[in-house]
Each structure stands twice: as structure tokens, then as C-alpha cells.
Amino acid sequence: SLKRNIMAAGGKDGPKSPSRPRAGPGPLARSWLVLYNIVLTAGWIAVTYVSLLHVMNNSTPPTVYSGIYDSAEVVLKVFQSLAVLEIVHAALGIVPSNVLLTSFQVFSRVFLVWGVLHPFKEAQTNLGVSLCLGAWSITEIIRYSFYTFALLNMKPYVLQWCRYTFFIVLYPIGVTGELLAIYCALAPAAEQKPFTLELPNPYNYSFYYHYFLVVIMLSYIPIFPQLFFHMIHQRRKIIGGGAKEAKKE
């Protein structure tokens, strides 16, 4: 009987299969995640600081947004690149995040930084960068600080509310900025042909980077609604559910 119960718990239909993520990471993994989230919170505060410093010193358009990337470039590249570790965390199972959704969220931003903003000056100086920096910074400061408190078994309601509410406005703003930055990179990508492989070549294969950028833009159509409504579902479950439980008590 005991053996049968153990097999049922470990099988495909075992009702206890979701219990493992609820247990949370072990002490070593938890310590690493706390450190990681504290560092990323501080990093995005630094991105916000240098961005605001630029805005205060250059308050009139177009200089208010045309030079903001140059001001925030180094800290942005460092701390946005560190987000790749989130995919590793999800893949290792030390966080309960969906690997596929996490991969797209991280890839879209890392790709924008290194595949769009880094090689193309036209993408660096448009309004889209300011939209991205503003939306990303607020979102990430809230998100990483929320994760830090959660790992320490503390969940301030104000921070939780911000985590599952601000995205309603910030997510569309960030996506708009990303698409605008990619759009501004299309013309220089077609002219300069970076990362492009034209025929004839020994591989008998062609790759045009500006077409790839178009594909990336089109991929937002099916994927953005999934990510957005996933967060809507999470908001209903966490904030809405909490409100219902409070009423019952």
C-alpha cells in the first residue's frame, strides 16, 4: 500500500505532483535567488537614476530622448543581460516560472538591447528607447524587490498590488517602445546589412537581418496577448483571490 501511494504521487496523474514547487528552493538556491534579486533591483534603480539624470539635464525634445540611451547604455546592458539567468532558474526548477514564457520575455529585451539598440544609432535616438527604459525600470524594480521579499517570506501588500497592477499600463508602453525601436532599425539594417548572409556563398543559404527584424515584430502579435492575459489571470488569482479570502474570514 505504501509503495502504491508513492508510485501514485510520482506518476503522471498523481495529485501530489504540484507540491514540489510549493516547497520552494532549498537553502543554497534561496540564498542565491535573494542575492540575485537584490542585485537586479539595485541595477534597475541605477538605470532609473541615470535616465532621470539625463532627463533633468536635457528636458527639451528631441534631446530629452535622443541621448538617453548613451547615458544608460552600460548599466542597461549589464543588468538586462543578467536577466538571462532567469531562464536558467526556470529550467533548473528553482523557481516555478514557465520556461517558455520566461524565455520569450527575456529574449525580447536582451535581443532589443544587443540586436537592435547596440548596432543601430537610429534605434538608439528614437522615442521608443525612452518608453522602454521607463516601462522596464519601473516594472523591474517592483518585480525584483517583490521576489526578494517573497523569498524572505514577506509580501507587503502595496508591493504585491503594484506588481500585479502596474503592468496593465507599463506592459503596453514597453511593447510599444520595443516595436518602435525595431521599426527605426529596419532601414539601417537593410542598408548596412549586418548579420546578413547573401548568395552566393559556400553554404548556399541566405539570411537577411532586416527581414528577421520584421519577423520579430510580427511575433509580438500572437505572443503579446498571451503574456498580457497570463498576467491578468495571475492578478485575478493573487489579488482577487486574496480579497475573496479576506471577506470570508
Side-chain angles (χ1 to χ4, degrees):
S1 177
L2 177 60
K3 182 178 180 182
R4 186 179 298 172
N5 290 338
I6 293 172
M7 290 177 66
K12 294 181 180 178
D13 300 324
K16 294 183 180 180
S17 58
S19 61
R20 189 174 180 181
R22 292 177 186 173
L28 184 61
R30 183 182 294 272
S31 299
W32 161 252
L33 290 173
V34 169
L35 176 62
Y36 174 79
N37 284 289
I38 289 174
V39 170
L40 269 292
T41 301
W44 282 101
I45 289 174
V47 173
T48 304
Y49 173 75
V50 295
S51 300
L52 289 176
L53 204 61
H54 170 82
V55 171
M56 288 188 292
N57 294 329
N58 304 272
S59 57
T60 57
T63 56
V64 68
Y65 58 81
S66 63
I68 196 168
Y69 175 80
D70 290 334
S71 299
E73 180 180 8
V74 175
V75 285
L76 174 64
K77 285 180 174 178
V78 170
F79 292 103
Q80 186 58 75
S81 298
L82 284 175
V84 173
L85 290 175
E86 292 188 40
I87 302 175
V88 178
H89 297 159
L92 292 176
I94 61 175
V95 296
S97 304
N98 180 285
V99 179
L100 187 61
L101 292 177
T102 302
S103 297
F104 178 78
Q105 288 177 310
V106 171
F107 170 78
S108 65
R109 292 187 180 184
V110 172
F111 173 76
L112 190 84
V113 169
W114 290 103
V116 177
L117 298 179
H118 177 72
F120 303 114
K121 188 70 176 178
E122 292 83 352
Q124 300 172 10
T125 56
N126 72 87
L127 180 61
V129 178
S130 296
L131 295 178
C132 288
L133 286 177
W136 292 359
S137 297
I138 298 172
T139 298
E140 300 299 53
I141 290 171
I142 293 172
R143 187 167 70 94
Y144 286 118
S145 57
F146 172 77
Y147 289 159
T148 302
F149 279 107
L151 287 162
L152 297 173
N153 297 317
M154 295 183 290
K155 289 185 180 180
Y157 180 76
V158 172
L159 196 58
Q160 181 173 273
W161 185 88
C162 291
R163 164 78 176 114
Y164 292 101
T165 303
F166 281 19
F167 80 91
I168 297 172
V169 174
L170 294 176
Y171 200 16
I173 290 175
V175 168
T176 300
E178 292 172 27
L179 290 173
L180 184 57
I182 298 173
Y183 176 79
C184 291
L186 290 178
E191 182 181 350
Q192 300 169 21
K193 299 180 180 179
F195 317 118
T196 294
L197 183 64
E198 295 184 303
L199 292 172
N201 62 71
Y203 307 102
N204 197 30
Y205 172 80
S206 62
F207 175 79
Y208 294 90
Y209 193 63
H210 62 288
Y211 290 146
F212 176 70
L213 293 179
V214 173
V215 172
I216 292 293
M217 294 180 72
L218 292 175
S219 71
Y220 278 71
I221 297 173
I223 297 177
F224 167 70
Q226 292 185 48
L227 296 174
F228 186 80
F229 287 110
H230 169 73
M231 287 299 296
I232 291 289
H233 175 73
Q234 291 293 100
R235 186 179 193 278
R236 288 174 181 168
K237 183 172 69 173
I238 294 172
I239 295 182
K244 289 178 182 178
E245 289 177 7
K247 289 180 181 179
K248 289 180 181 179
E249 293 175 359

